Amino acid sequence: MSRTEPLGNFTAEDAPHYDDVVQCMRCGFCLPTCPTYALTGRERSSPRGRVALARAVAEKKLEFTPAIKEEAFFCLDCRACTTACPSGVRAGEVMEMCRSQAHAFYPLGKMGKAFREFILQKMVPSPKMMETSMLPTRLYQRLGIQWLVRHLKVLKLGPEWMNKAEGMLPELEKPLRPQLPDIVAARGEKRGRVGFFLGCVMTLMYPNVSRNTVRVLTHQGFDVVTPKDTKCCGAPHLSEGDRETARQLALFNLDLFLAQDVDYIVTDCAGCGAALKEYEELLAERAEHEKLSRFREKIRDISEFLVEVGLRTEGLQEVRARVTYHEPCHLCHAQGISAQPRQLIRQIPGVELREMQEASWCCGSAATWGLKFSQDSQKVLDRKLDNVKASGADILITANPGCHLQLAWGVRQAGMPQDVLHLMELLGRALPPD
């Protein structure tokens, strides 16, 4: 069925595919994997219930009601249900489509619409505008205003999400994108040439992580090419139901990276990797199949790439640490990458990996979900932190900036001693000095 044909009571543009909503056998395998079902015990807040709602709209048995809109945004899109589903039902993607539908059925007011369009269509697609927007926040931290605000607990008087958002801020450095050379040469025996997809959050909030990613890649013998014009991968737009802007960004990145003479395209952001691997589907009717297929074949998460080419361990220094690993949903469930990060951790001399229970259970971040549903997010996070404590690890490792922000904030709030690091920061500690 064409994407532009109306489906039941959905609007014509960006409706779920009928095949995707009739696959569900209602077996219930998804129920124990769903954080929102665990929180509420409510059928409609389960993957099975949400898909049933979408099917009812597709079959004209139900209008697109406010309750369906609510469930579309209450879904974390963690995709744990997809991993568990024997029929391959992708409830998270169905809810992503329903978010687009929600904006068609229940458009925002004039001010809200203008603000949303400015953020998603003007600011996020512009690397320079994003970098400029962070300057006041860096001054807020450098001038001691942040210390004063936190000391006086001023933000506790405002909405809960605002206090949490401020509390999650890491200590900001200058963005990495303008600092990173266009090409960083391989060290030692050269093994190839990779394009580096530097994500928006990574350059703005975790430049040290991506700096280490480039160090690791060059130490492994790869030239690293970082196109400075790279735009957002489109993941925030898919999450917020703006699929058209996501397509425009995808088309730009597709042409930009295919023009580079690289063997692979590597990212250290699980959310970016999942979005990039979905370009083939997102752009199915907008780009040539051959280009999409060539792009998809090159995309790798950094852990997936290093295991595939083989980690060169000679020269790695000992890092004495007990670590546990939290699996980002968009790495283990959206990309099926679970064993590779563990394999890399075990190859670092001196590191002891202590598995936590429910390592692949969501941390409660899920883009803006952790702010929109802050109390529910805290419950999901508490469950994760209990498992971190029980592991007895000194360091909590993850591989996605959203998880990193949420977990680091949660550990601080709970007064826990663990450092929270990206896998590339841990591996970077094992590299010899530059």
Side-chain angles (χ1 to χ4, degrees):
M1 177 177 289
S2 166
R3 288 174 183 274
T4 56
E5 290 178 9
L7 175 64
N9 286 332
F10 286 114
T11 63
E13 202 67 32
D14 285 325
H17 286 233
Y18 189 62
D19 289 347
D20 291 337
V21 297
V22 296
Q23 282 179 311
C24 178
M25 302 183 297
R26 301 191 59 75
C27 64
F29 280 25
C30 58
L31 300 182
T33 71
C34 177
T36 55
Y37 182 70
L39 285 171
T40 64
R42 202 168 52 194
E43 177 70 14
R44 80 173 210 192
S45 297
S46 72
R48 184 176 67 182
R50 290 181 174 121
V51 171
L53 288 173
R55 179 173 180 170
V57 177
E59 294 177 346
K60 292 190 174 183
K61 295 175 181 173
L62 189 66
E63 297 294 328
F64 195 98
T65 64
I68 299 175
K69 175 189 173 186
E70 183 183 326
E71 286 306 331
F73 286 98
F74 190 44
C75 171
L76 289 123
D77 195 16
C78 68
R79 309 194 185 184
C81 53
T82 303
T83 300
C85 180
S87 301
V89 176
R90 301 183 300 170
E93 284 98 323
V94 171
M95 287 300 103
E96 270 188 2
M97 304 286 259
C98 284
R99 291 175 190 178
S100 296
Q101 294 287 313
H103 283 287
F105 282 104
Y106 304 99
L108 296 170
K110 191 175 179 181
M111 290 292 290
K113 184 171 183 287
F115 180 72
R116 181 174 184 270
E117 289 178 352
F118 173 74
I119 296 295
L120 293 178
Q121 297 174 17
K122 301 291 184 187
M123 194 168 98
V124 177
S126 166
K128 287 185 178 176
M129 195 177 289
M130 289 286 281
E131 288 163 5
T132 304
S133 74
M134 297 304 287
L135 181 60
T137 310
R138 293 209 305 277
L139 290 173
Y140 165 77
Q141 293 185 330
R142 297 288 185 279
L143 298 177
I145 303 170
Q146 183 181 51
W147 178 88
L148 191 64
V149 166
R150 290 183 177 183
H151 187 72
L152 295 176
K153 300 180 179 177
V154 175
L155 293 180
K156 283 190 177 292
L157 301 174
E160 192 171 350
W161 68 265
M162 189 180 293
N163 188 39
K164 180 178 178 181
E166 198 284 333
M168 292 172 77
L169 279 174
E171 187 173 335
L172 298 178
E173 304 172 31
K174 289 182 179 177
L176 179 62
R177 187 184 71 95
Q179 303 176 49
L180 205 56
D182 293 339
I183 302 176
V184 183
R187 302 173 70 179
E189 183 182 351
K190 184 173 171 180
R191 303 167 73 187
R193 182 180 170 95
V194 301
F196 180 42
F197 190 94
L198 178 60
C200 310
V201 182
M202 302 308 290
T203 179
L204 296 173
M205 293 197 174
Y206 290 112
N208 189 52
V209 171
S210 291
R211 197 176 288 118
N212 273 293
T213 302
V214 174
R215 285 182 67 224
V216 168
L217 286 167
T218 55
H219 177 265
Q220 291 295 311
F222 293 93
D223 288 339
V224 180
V225 179
T226 308
K228 295 296 178 60
D229 292 333
T230 303
K231 293 183 182 293
C232 173
C233 64
H237 305 80
L238 294 173
S239 177
E240 293 300 322
D242 183 0
R243 298 183 70 82
E244 183 51 36
T245 305
R247 288 191 188 95
Q248 293 171 19
L249 293 169
L251 283 167
F252 180 89
N253 289 325
L254 180 78
D255 288 337
L256 178 68
F257 274 90
L258 287 181
Q260 312 299 319
D261 178 22
V262 295
D263 306 315
Y264 296 92
I265 302 166
V266 177
T267 180
D268 56 10
C269 169
C272 293
L276 295 171
K277 288 178 178 178
E278 290 173 7
Y279 279 8
E280 196 169 13
E281 186 174 351
L282 183 68
L283 297 176
E285 297 177 4
R286 297 284 186 91
E288 296 170 20
H289 176 71
E290 184 274 331
K291 286 173 66 176
L292 291 169
S293 178
R294 192 153 42 94
F295 182 81
R296 174 64 186 84
E297 287 173 2
K298 289 177 184 277
I299 298 294
R300 298 287 188 284
D301 176 77
I302 181 65
S303 61
E304 178 185 25
F305 174 71
L306 292 174
V307 168
E308 186 174 319
V309 298
L311 185 70
R312 202 157 63 184
T313 56
E314 58 267 27
L316 291 185
Q317 300 177 341
E318 187 177 67
V319 179
R320 296 188 67 80
R322 296 173 301 182
V323 311
T324 192
Y325 174 60
H326 160 72
E327 301 195 68
C329 299
H330 279 76
L331 196 58
C332 66
H333 298 306
Q335 300 185 60
I337 297 171
S338 184
Q340 295 93 328
R342 292 176 168 84
Q343 184 172 332
L344 292 179
I345 291 170
R346 290 192 176 100
Q347 287 184 271
I348 301 173
V351 171
E352 177 190 349
L353 174 60
R354 294 190 167 195
E355 289 285 359
M356 73 167 89
Q357 295 293 314
E358 300 182 333
S360 62
W361 189 263
C362 181
C363 66
S365 174
T368 56
W369 191 91
L371 299 177
K372 291 174 180 171
F373 303 96
S374 55
Q375 292 185 7
D376 293 313
S377 172
Q378 184 67 57
K379 292 174 186 173
V380 179
L381 176 61
D382 287 344
R383 180 167 171 164
K384 174 64 65 177
L385 295 181
D386 286 344
N387 288 320
V388 174
K389 284 179 194 169
S391 75
D394 308 313
I395 299 175
L396 172 56
I397 301 295
T398 189
N400 188 58
C403 305
H404 202 151
L405 287 166
Q406 170 89 339
L407 293 168
W409 175 80
V411 162
R412 284 197 302 275
Q413 292 294 110
M416 292 168 59
Q418 285 82 8
D419 287 330
V420 181
L421 298 178
H422 189 285
L423 175 54
M424 288 302 105
E425 291 179 293
L426 182 68
L427 193 48
R429 290 184 179 186
L431 297 184
D434 293 333

